[in-house]
Amino acid sequence: MIDLHVHTWRCRHAVGTVAEYVATAAERGIDTIALTDHLPLSPELVARDPEVARYAMPADELPEYVDEVIAARESARAMGGPEVLLGIEADVYPGNEEFVRALLSEHPFDVVLGSVHFVDGWAFDDPDRREGYASWDVRALWERYFGDLVSAARSGLADVIGHADLVKKFGYVPEGDLMPLFREVADAFAQAGVAVEVNTAGLRKPCAELYPSAPFLVALNRAGVPVTIGSDAHAPVEVGSAYEEARDALRDAGYRSLVVFRSRQAEEVPL
Ligand code: ZN
Ligand code: FE
Ligand code: FE
Ligand code: ZN
């Protein structure tokens, strides 16, 4: 069992220390856990809207976070606990690439999740910002979101694309056949050489399904895009949550293996 997506208290909207996450992973028989807290946001974004500061760790805490995860890895290893990977979830959106690249270059990450949580600075996944949907046509929003996500994949910054259809979170889904869009995105991911995650947090949200959806997973499998699994836990109790659902959805989509990343290199593990 693996969990490659969890958050700690450091991002200010999650709870739990690195040690608490690792202890819960050990209790639940998880072999590999990646801590992937939110990378600090760019000063421009925070200047534009100071409230966004609550979405990520403060800029000056990244070195402490890294040290804490590395220390937890060493102590888990000494105690025969789970493998602990140093990960991060980075906001990759147009114009932010060089800021992210500079931060990533400073630390020995095992795995980088590249996520899109903002469209033109709007945090479309924040329940307190749902009024923003009123000013978008749903199909136009989806096309914009997936366009930005493909750019994130092509940036080369991320190993794994986070919650690839997050834009469905509150149930705003365009009418009609979405398979052509999913196929196009899946082909672009394959060409960019990124993996995706099956993120079980979607089950806990209004959309009430995994990210990505079953048809999107089929398209990803057909395109040859590798996959990993993450809970996107924002509390230790959520570690490994809905792992069986994720595994079953992957098997149904035709997947037979997962990938984990060590020093940013993909290694296959059985599903
Ligand atoms: Zn978060
Ligand atoms: Fe995210
Ligand atoms: Fe996350
Ligand atoms: Zn996330």
Side-chain angles (χ1 to χ4, degrees):
M1 218 172 143
I2 64 170
D3 189 341
L4 258 59
H5 191 158
V6 310
H7 296 275
T8 75
W9 68 275
R10 258 184 216 287
C11 66
R12 308 302 197 267
H13 62 270
V15 294
T17 62
V18 172
E20 287 165 346
Y21 274 94
V22 175
T24 306
E27 278 164 28
R28 297 190 177 171
I30 288 172
D31 305 293
T32 300
I33 181 169
L35 281 294
T36 57
D37 220 335
H38 295 279
L39 188 74
L41 296 169
S42 81
E44 292 81 34
L45 191 75
V46 178
R48 220 165 118 177
D49 178 2
E51 279 189 38
V52 305
R54 67 172 187 267
Y55 301 139
M57 74 177 86
D60 57 348
E61 288 190 21
L62 183 57
E64 287 166 49
Y65 165 75
V66 167
D67 289 348
E68 202 178 345
V69 176
I70 290 173
R73 167 199 291 165
E74 300 313 323
S75 62
R77 188 180 282 152
M79 289 163 26
E83 176 185 27
V84 177
L85 300 177
L86 174 60
I88 201 82
E89 180 176 16
D91 280 276
V92 183
Y93 53 83
N96 200 41
E97 295 87 350
E98 293 319 308
F99 172 78
V100 171
R101 198 179 312 279
L103 285 185
L104 295 182
S105 73
E106 290 170 14
H107 302 287
F109 292 109
D110 288 302
V111 59
V112 176
L113 309 182
S115 296
V116 171
H117 304 103
F118 298 98
V119 166
D120 296 331
W122 168 45
F124 64 85
D125 71 329
D126 182 344
D128 296 334
R129 300 281 171 106
R130 282 182 68 166
E131 74 282 355
Y133 286 90
S135 49
W136 276 94
D137 166 73
V138 180
R139 183 162 283 271
L141 177 62
W142 273 53
E143 280 167 8
R144 170 61 193 277
Y145 167 78
F146 281 107
D148 285 1
L149 201 63
V150 165
S151 301
R154 289 183 178 146
S155 73
L157 292 167
D159 305 304
V160 181
I161 294 298
H163 38 62
D165 57 0
L166 179 66
V167 68
K168 74 180 177 189
K169 177 173 178 175
F170 299 113
Y172 298 98
V173 177
E175 304 277 318
D177 185 10
L178 296 170
M179 265 327 255
L181 174 66
F182 293 152
R183 274 196 292 266
E184 195 186 315
V185 174
D187 287 344
F189 286 177
Q191 215 169 32
V194 290
V196 296
E197 60 165 359
V198 170
N199 180 312
T200 62
L203 294 169
R204 312 191 291 268
K205 301 293 161 31
C207 61
E209 57 174 49
L210 296 166
Y211 306 116
S213 65
F216 194 6
L217 268 185
V218 168
L220 290 160
N221 179 252
R222 286 195 190 141
V225 177
V227 280
T228 188
I229 296 179
S231 64
D232 210 346
H234 279 67
V237 69
E238 292 170 347
V239 170
S241 80
Y243 192 82
E244 293 71 24
E245 285 92 328
R247 190 195 53 208
D248 293 350
L250 282 169
R251 287 181 180 158
D252 289 347
Y255 279 98
R256 296 292 173 262
S257 63
L258 301 171
V259 284
V260 299
F261 289 82
R262 301 183 178 97
S263 302
R264 311 216 47 195
Q265 296 300 307
E267 295 179 44
E268 235 176 89
V269 294
L271 177 57

